[in-house]
Amino acid sequence: MKRKNGDRNAEDKALIKKVYEHYNGVYGYRQLQLVMLQDHKVWMNHKKVLRLMLQVIGIRSQIRRKHRCNYVSYTGNQVAKNILKRDFKADAPNKKWVTDVTQYRV
């Protein structure tokens, strides 16, 4: 009868929400569990953290998108102008320097 009134997970929910907001919602349930163990010395099963996050509190981690290189959008800023126009012969030494940089990511 006494258990019906109280919330057994009130402290756990408060700690999860505090850690979640401290890291701006970036961490998911696995990382939250590790942070709570390391920083707050509280061991909580990862399944419980997930259940409280999704079902009870209703918070989710932000999904970080992978950076995709779209070459078409970058061509305007990264392609150098063709000054030599395939005229590689120079009148004197050290006038024209060229190299192949296709293997390097810039």
Side-chain angles (χ1 to χ4, degrees):
M1 296 299 287
K2 292 180 184 178
R3 272 194 274 168
K4 289 183 182 178
N5 297 335
D7 186 10
R8 295 186 340 189
N9 297 321
E11 294 176 6
D12 297 338
K13 288 190 295 187
L15 181 62
I16 289 173
K17 195 161 190 165
K18 176 184 171 186
V19 173
Y20 178 82
E21 290 172 355
H22 182 265
Y23 289 100
N24 299 323
V26 176
Y27 287 169
Y29 72 96
R30 292 184 191 107
Q31 195 68 29
L32 281 180
Q33 179 209 15
L34 294 174
V35 168
M36 288 190 300
L37 180 62
Q38 291 172 353
D39 295 347
H40 300 282
K41 306 294 187 245
V42 175
W43 168 254
M44 194 181 309
N45 192 334
H46 63 93
K47 295 174 191 174
K48 182 177 181 179
V49 175
L50 177 64
R51 180 175 48 82
L52 290 176
M53 278 180 67
L54 297 179
Q55 296 174 2
V56 179
I57 304 172
I59 55 178
R60 291 177 173 262
S61 64
Q62 296 174 1
I63 299 173
R64 291 176 279 178
R65 301 285 180 196
K66 290 184 179 178
H67 175 70
R68 293 187 154 208
C69 180
N70 188 358
Y71 186 73
V72 176
S73 65
Y74 290 129
T75 55
N77 296 334
Q78 291 187 351
V79 176
K81 293 181 182 178
N82 189 3
I83 299 171
L84 289 179
K85 297 184 180 165
R86 299 193 59 83
D87 181 25
F88 300 117
K89 294 190 179 186
D91 300 334
N94 291 330
K95 292 291 182 182
K96 297 179 182 177
W97 285 50
V98 294
T99 186
D100 181 21
V101 292
T102 54
Q103 64 182 348
Y104 302 114
R105 281 189 89 158
V106 182

